C-alpha cells in the first residue's frame, strides 16, 4: 500500500527521457518535487542571482529570509549530463550563497550535499529507484517543515547569544533599560545563564495557568491541549497538563490508562488532589517522555470516579479554590487544564485556578452559536476572582481547508459575536496561521497515545500522513509561539 502511494506521488519521475532538456528536468521533476516537499511557489526563486552565481533554484521561505542563509539550493542538469562532471559549480554556488544543503540532479540521479563553512560534503546519491524506496529520508531532510525547524533553531540560538550579550552589557553599564529588557526576555530562554535573575515575584507573574474551555462538546479541546502542550515543551517551556474531565481523554490520549496505570498501580489522580487536603501536586504527577527527548510533559491524570464527586466537591470548604490553592508556588511556565464540556463544578474549579482562558472553536454554526454563552460564562467566573482572568483568545480547532468561502462566513459570525459580547475587553480571534486543520493524522493521535510530534517517529504512517503531520506541526508551532508572545506582552 505504502509503496503504491509513494509510486503514485513520485510518478512525475517517469516524465523525462535521456534526450530531455535541462528545462524539462526543472519543470517535470524539480518543481513537482518541491511541491511534494511542502514548498509553495513563493518559497523558492528560479535563476536566482547571488553574487556572481545564477542558481537554478534557491529555496528560502520568506519566514527565514531575515534569519539565516538559504537552506537549500538546487542545480539542474540535462539527463544526458553526468553529475560527477558538474559538481564544481554547485560547490561554488553553495559557498557563495552560504547554503546548508545542495541538490544536484539530472532527473535520473539526485546528489545531496551538505555545506558547513567552506566545506562541502556529499551526503548521498540516489537513483530514481533509491528515491522511491528511501523517500522518507529524503523528505525528512529536505521538506519545508525541517527547513523551518532549522531556521527556528538558528533564531533561538542567536537570540540566546544576544541575551547573554545583553546581560553583559546590562551589568557593565549598569543600564536600567537593558536590565528591564533582559528580565522580559529571559523567560523565553530558561536555560540561559545570565547574572541578573528576575525576582520570584516576576517569575510567578509570567507563568500561566490556562483552562482550555468550551462547554460545547467535541470541539477539539483535549486534542488541542495535548498538542499545544507538547509544542510548548518542544519550545523549551516547562509544562504541566491537568486532566479534570471524568472522561479522562487527555490521560488516555497521552498513554496513561486510568485503570491500569493509576488505580491498579495504587497511584493517585486528580480526584485525590481535589478531595484530600494533604495530597500535594507532586503526589499526582506522571512524567511522560517521548522519542524526541526535548518533549517532556508532566500530567495529572483523571479517573471516571470524578463524575460521581460533584456533591462531595461542593461540600468542601472554599470548594471553588481547592485547585487554585494546590497550584500555588509551582515551577511551570505553563499549566494547561482540560475540563469536561458541560458547565459544572469542576469547570468552576478550573477557571478559579486559572490566569487565562483559551477557547477552541470549530468553524461551524452550532459551536459558533454557543460562543456568546461560553464567553459570558468565562467572564462571569472572572468577576469572582481577585486576579484577572482574561480570555486570551479563540483558537480555530479543526477547520476544513477546502471550504474557503464557508470558513470566511463563519469567521465573520465569530467576529460579530465577539464584538457584541466582549464589552470593554476585546477577545481576539487567533490569526489564521495558528488555525488547526481537520486532519486524520491528528485524530489518530489519541488512540496511539502520543502528541503529534511523535508522528515523525511512527513508521506505520505513510507519506501523506507524514506530510499532514508536518503541516499540523507547523500550525501548532505558530499557535504556541503566538501564545508565548501574548503571555510575554501581558507580563
Ligand atoms: N485537528 C483535528 N483533526 C481531526 N480530528 C480532530 C482534530 N481535533 C480533534 N479531532 C477529533 O475530534 C474529536 C473530538 O476531539 P476532542 O476529544 O479533542 O474534543 P473535546 O472538545 O475535548 O471533546 P469533549 O467535549 O468530549 O471533551 C476526536 O475524535 C478527535 O480525535
Ligand atoms: Mg475533551
Amino acid at each position: 500500500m505504502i509503496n503504491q502511494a509513494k509510486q503514485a506521488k513520485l510518478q512525475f519521475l517517469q516524465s523525462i527521457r535521456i534526450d530531455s532538456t535541462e528545462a524539462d528536468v526543472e519543470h517535470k521533476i524539480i518543481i513537482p518535487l518541491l511541491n511534494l516537499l511542502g514548498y509553495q511557489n513563493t518559497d523558492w526563486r528560479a535563476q536566482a542571482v547571488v553574487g556572481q552565481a545564477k542558481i537554478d533554484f534557491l529555496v528560502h521561505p520568506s519566514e527565514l529570509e531575515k534569519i539565516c542563509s538559504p537552506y537549500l539550493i538546487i542545480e539542474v542538469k540535462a539527463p544526458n549530463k553526468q553529475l560527477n562532471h558538474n559538481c564544481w559549480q554547485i560547490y561554488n554556488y553553495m559557498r557563495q550563497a552560504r547554503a546548508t544543503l545542495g541538490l544536484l540532479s539530472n532527473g535520473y540521479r539526485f546528489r545531496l550535499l551538505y555545506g558547513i563553512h567552506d566545506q562541502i560534503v556529499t551526503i548521498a546519491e540516489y537513483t530514481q529507484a533509491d528515491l522511491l524506496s528511501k523517500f522518507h529520508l529524503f523528505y525528512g531532510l529536505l521538506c519545508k517543515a525541517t527547513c523551518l525547524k532549522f531556521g527556528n533553531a538558528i533564531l533561538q540560538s542567536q537570540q540566546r547569544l544576544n541575551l547573554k550579550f545583553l546581560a553583559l552589557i546590562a551589568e557593565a553599564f549598569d543600564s536600567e533599560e537593558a536590565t528591564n529588557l533582559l528580565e522580559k526576555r529571559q523567560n523565553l530562554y530558561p536555560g540561559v545563564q545570565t547574572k541578573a535573575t528576575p525576582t520570584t515575584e516576576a517569575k510567578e507573574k509570567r507563568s500561566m495557568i490556562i483552562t482550555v474551555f468550551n462547554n460545547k462538546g467535541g470541539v477539539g479541546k483535549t486534542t488541542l491541549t495535548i498538542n499545544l502542550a507538547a509544542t510548548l515543551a518542544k519550545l523549551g517551556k516547562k509544562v504541566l497538563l491537568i486532566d479534570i474531565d471524568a472522561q479522562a481523554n487527555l490521560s488516555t490520549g497521552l498513554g496513561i490508562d486510568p485503570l491500569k496505570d493509576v488505580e491498579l498501580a495504587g497511584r493517585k489522580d486528580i480526584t485525590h488532589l481535589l478531595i484530600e487536603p494533604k495530597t500535594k501536586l507532586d503526589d499526582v504527577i506522571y512524567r511522560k517522555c517521548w522519542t524526541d527527548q526535548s518533549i517532556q510533559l508532566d500530567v495529572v491524570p483523571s479517573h471516571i470516579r470524578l463524575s460521581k464527586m460533584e456533591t462531595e466537591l461542593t461540600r468542601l470548604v472554599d470548594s471553588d479554590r481547592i485547585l487554585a490553592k494546590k497550584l500555588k508556588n509551582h515551577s511551570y511556565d505553563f499549566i494547561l487544564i482540560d475540563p469536561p464540556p458541560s458547565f459544572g463544578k469542576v469547570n468552576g474549579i478550573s477557571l478559579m485556578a486559572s490566569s487565562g482562558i483559551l477557547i477552541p472553536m470549530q468553524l461551524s454554526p452550532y459551536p459558533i452559536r454557543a460562543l456568546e454563552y461560553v464567553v459570558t460564562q468565562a467572564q462571569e467566573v472572572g468577576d469572582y476572582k481577585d486576579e484577572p482572568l482574561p480570555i486570551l483568545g479563540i483558537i480555530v480547532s479543526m477547520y476544513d481547508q477546502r471550504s474557503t468561502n464557508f470558513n470566511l462566513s463563519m469567521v465573520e459570525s465569530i467576529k460579530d459575536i465577539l464584538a457584541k459580547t466582549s464589552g470593554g475587553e476585546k477577545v481576539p480571534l487567533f490569526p489564521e496561521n495558528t488555525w488547526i486543520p481537520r486532519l486524520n493524522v491528528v485524530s489518530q493521535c489519541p488512540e496511539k497515545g502520543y502528541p503529534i510530534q511523535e508522528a515523525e517517529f511512527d513508521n506505520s504512517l505513510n507519506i501523506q500522513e507524514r506530510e499532514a503531520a508536518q503541516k499540523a506541526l507547523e500550525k501548532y508551532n505558530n499557535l504556541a509561539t503566538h501564545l508565548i508572545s501574548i503571555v510575554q506582552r501581558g507580563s
Side-chain angles (χ1 to χ4, degrees), residues 214-225 227 245 247 249 338-342 360 397-399 436-446 472 476:
N214 191 329
N215 43 354
K216 176 92 185 67
V219 292
K221 291 183 288 299
T222 305
T223 310
L224 186 93
T225 310
N227 292 328
D245 179 359
Q247 299 179 94
N249 290 345
D338 182 33
S342 61
S397 62
M398 40 175 147
Y399 76 101
I436 312 297
R438 181 185 287 282
L439 295 166
N440 283 341
V441 73
V442 175
S443 66
Q444 286 165 17
C445 289
Y476 284 114

Side-chain angles (χ1 to χ4, degrees), residues 5 15 18 39 85 92 96 148 158 161 190 219 225 250 263 281 301 305 310 322 332 375 415 424 445-446 469 476:
S15 59
I18 192 70
Y39 295 100
H85 298 159
N92 187 2
Q96 289 204 39
L148 294 181
Q158 259 174 13
L161 195 65
V219 292
T225 310
L250 182 129
E263 192 178 329
L281 184 61
R305 68 171 94 87
E310 193 97 342
I322 41 179
Y332 293 97
V375 171
K415 286 187 177 160
C445 289
Y476 284 114

Side-chain angles (χ1 to χ4, degrees), residues 89-131:
Q89 196 182 22
I90 190 165
Y91 279 25
N92 187 2
Y93 290 178
M94 282 178 75
R95 285 191 187 110
Q96 289 204 39
R98 290 196 288 133
T100 305
L101 294 173
L103 174 65
L104 175 64
S105 175
N106 60 7
Y108 285 119
R109 299 188 80 89
F110 300 80
R111 180 176 296 186
L112 268 173
L113 305 156
Y114 180 72
I116 179 162
H117 308 302
D118 257 6
Q119 293 287 310
I120 313 279
V121 288
T122 299
I123 307 168
E125 183 163 329
Y126 285 179
T127 60
Q128 287 196 347
D130 296 331
L131 198 61

Side-chain angles (χ1 to χ4, degrees), residues 124-372:
E125 183 163 329
Y126 285 179
T127 60
Q128 287 196 347
D130 296 331
L131 198 61
L132 270 171
S133 63
K134 296 182 195 156
F135 189 67
H136 61 287
L137 276 177
F138 189 85
Y139 182 89
L141 184 65
L142 296 191
C143 73
K144 183 173 174 183
T146 309
C147 163
L148 294 181
K149 241 192 238 172
F150 185 77
N152 265 334
I154 288 183
L155 178 65
Q156 291 221 0
S157 70
Q158 259 174 13
Q159 289 183 336
R160 279 171 195 270
L161 195 65
N162 288 346
L163 199 62
K164 281 193 178 171
F165 198 42
L166 179 64
L168 289 175
I169 292 170
E171 205 186 354
F173 290 85
D174 198 18
S175 153
E176 198 179 323
E177 267 187 50
T179 309
N180 287 345
L181 181 60
L182 179 68
E183 288 190 357
K184 277 212 174 111
R185 292 292 167 88
Q186 217 168 17
N187 193 42
L188 259 181
Y189 302 99
V192 178
Q193 291 303 319
T194 50
K195 279 203 173 163
T197 40
T199 59
T200 326
E201 196 189 1
K203 241 186 194 167
E204 271 175 15
K205 243 185 170 177
R206 282 194 288 263
S207 60
M208 255 336 238
I209 306 179
I210 298 173
T211 294
V212 182
F213 175 71
N214 191 329
N215 43 354
K216 176 92 185 67
V219 292
K221 291 183 288 299
T222 305
T223 310
L224 186 93
T225 310
I226 291 176
N227 292 328
L228 174 60
T231 312
L232 287 167
K234 176 98 191 141
L235 291 173
K237 301 291 169 196
K238 192 168 178 217
V239 187
L240 171 70
L241 281 162
I242 301 183
D243 189 352
I244 196 166
D245 179 359
Q247 299 179 94
N249 290 345
L250 182 129
S251 311
T252 51
L254 286 169
I256 303 172
D257 182 332
L259 180 67
K260 196 163 68 65
D261 301 324
V262 182
E263 192 178 329
L264 296 177
R267 296 186 64 181
K268 296 190 172 186
D269 55 52
I270 185 72
T271 61
H272 301 91
L273 186 68
L274 297 179
I275 299 287
E276 299 175 354
K278 293 215 166 120
T279 297
K280 297 196 197 75
L281 184 61
D282 281 348
D283 303 332
V284 289
I285 286 177
Y286 291 59
R287 182 153 293 175
K288 293 290 299 184
C289 298
W290 310 96
T291 316
D292 178 342
Q293 296 196 344
S294 61
I295 302 177
Q296 174 186 294
L297 293 174
D298 282 359
V299 186
V300 176
S302 187
H303 193 284
I304 185 72
R305 68 171 94 87
L306 183 61
S307 62
K308 299 199 189 104
M309 286 187 163
E310 193 97 342
T311 344
E312 206 171 331
L313 285 171
T314 314
R315 270 200 238 111
L316 294 171
V317 180
D318 204 7
S319 59
D320 285 337
R321 288 187 171 75
I322 41 179
L323 184 60
K325 286 182 195 153
K326 300 271 172 117
L327 295 185
K328 277 203 172 132
N329 304 323
H330 64 80
S331 62
Y332 293 97
D333 297 310
F334 285 90
I335 299 183
L336 303 186
I337 310 179
D338 182 33
S342 61
F343 196 86
K345 185 73 188 166
V346 291
N347 269 290
I349 290 175
S350 316
L351 291 173
M352 287 303 278
S354 298
S355 43
I357 299 172
L358 283 173
I359 302 181
M361 177 56 52
Q362 273 176 279
L363 293 185
S364 69
Y366 288 130
I368 290 178
R369 235 173 267 165
L371 178 61
E372 187 170 350

Side-chain angles (χ1 to χ4, degrees), residues 44-60 70 73-75 93 96-98:
W44 49 265
R45 277 184 292 139
Q47 300 304 319
V49 177
V50 176
Q52 313 274 304
K54 199 165 179 200
I55 298 167
D56 286 342
F57 290 87
L58 179 98
V59 183
H60 201 22
I73 68 169
I74 304 176
E75 200 46 39
Y93 290 178
Q96 289 204 39
R98 290 196 288 133

